[in-house]
Amino acid sequence: MRPKVILNCAASADGKISLPNRKQLAISNNEDFERVHELRSECDAIIVGIGTILEDNPSLTVRNNTKAKPIRIILDTHCRIPTDSKVLRGENKTIVAVGKNHEEKNLGKTEILECGNKKIDLNQLLNILGERGVKKILVEGGETVMWSFLKEKLFDEYNVFFSSIIIGGVKTPTIAGGKGFQNEKSILNLKLRSVKQMGNGILAKYNKKKN
């Protein structure tokens, strides 16, 4: 059975996730950071894209909870991940999901999992994880990863923390990148579950709207 998928991200009040030059900045406040780490501790796996690894070099571990060890999964079609990335260290299992024609690379004990041809097949990946007993996945998107899951409707919950800042910019990265839905009929509709103030920000939680 396919695991439950929770999409989670933080954005400015105008939906931007970085500066116009793509430089990352702290958008979440302390309350939201704590929420995210609590959410990580409840999940069996965390998924991010290679862009997040190259730009932020995160560890993807759970703060103040040594018992929680979610699997760290990197979507990396061509296996561009640097061998000294923090996500390849520590006790938590790491999986690098790649496409068929990926670069051959020695990542030590890290599993390289081929899913798809020219790009990663998310359906295939989720099915494999489900077969391995993974029941709940947290997707911490960059714009490409978030769009991929939204476009394919491969999610159950969608959570966004909106910070009280404006970044602006026509080419500034937004929550969901990609080509976008091209007509009104294809637009993805969500069901608003809750809205909560968190410090000087707002957490909005949605469910995928059933047809």
Side-chain angles (χ1 to χ4, degrees), residues 115-129:
C115 297
N117 295 316
K118 292 183 179 180
K119 62 179 182 177
I120 294 166
D121 186 327
L122 294 178
N123 268 297
Q124 183 182 352
L125 175 61
L126 293 177
N127 287 335
I128 291 172
L129 294 173

Side-chain angles (χ1 to χ4, degrees), residues 159-160 191-196 202-207:
N159 302 334
V160 187
K191 181 179 180 180
L192 181 62
R193 197 173 83 214
S194 65
V195 178
K196 177 184 178 182
I202 294 173
L203 175 65
K205 293 186 176 184
Y206 302 87
N207 288 122

Side-chain angles (χ1 to χ4, degrees), residues 58 88 143:
L88 302 180
E143 58 177 340

Side-chain angles (χ1 to χ4, degrees), residues 144-209:
T144 302
V145 171
M146 196 64 67
W147 166 248
S148 296
F149 277 88
L150 290 168
K151 178 182 66 173
E152 301 294 333
K153 300 179 181 179
L154 292 173
F155 70 98
D156 301 283
E157 297 180 18
Y158 173 64
N159 302 334
V160 187
F161 174 80
F162 289 104
S163 177
S164 297
I165 60 173
I166 297 291
I167 297 175
V170 174
K171 296 183 179 181
T172 304
T174 59
I175 294 171
K179 294 181 179 180
F181 297 108
Q182 298 298 307
N183 57 69
E184 189 174 350
K185 289 184 179 180
S186 67
I187 289 174
L188 177 61
N189 290 301
L190 303 173
K191 181 179 180 180
L192 181 62
R193 197 173 83 214
S194 65
V195 178
K196 177 184 178 182
Q197 182 172 350
M198 298 183 67
N200 193 32
I202 294 173
L203 175 65
K205 293 186 176 184
Y206 302 87
N207 288 122
K208 181 172 62 177
K209 193 170 184 179

Side-chain angles (χ1 to χ4, degrees), residues 59-71:
S59 298
L60 297 182
T61 53
V62 180
R63 185 186 303 165
N64 300 328
N65 190 337
T66 56
K67 293 183 179 180
K69 299 186 184 299
I71 302 168

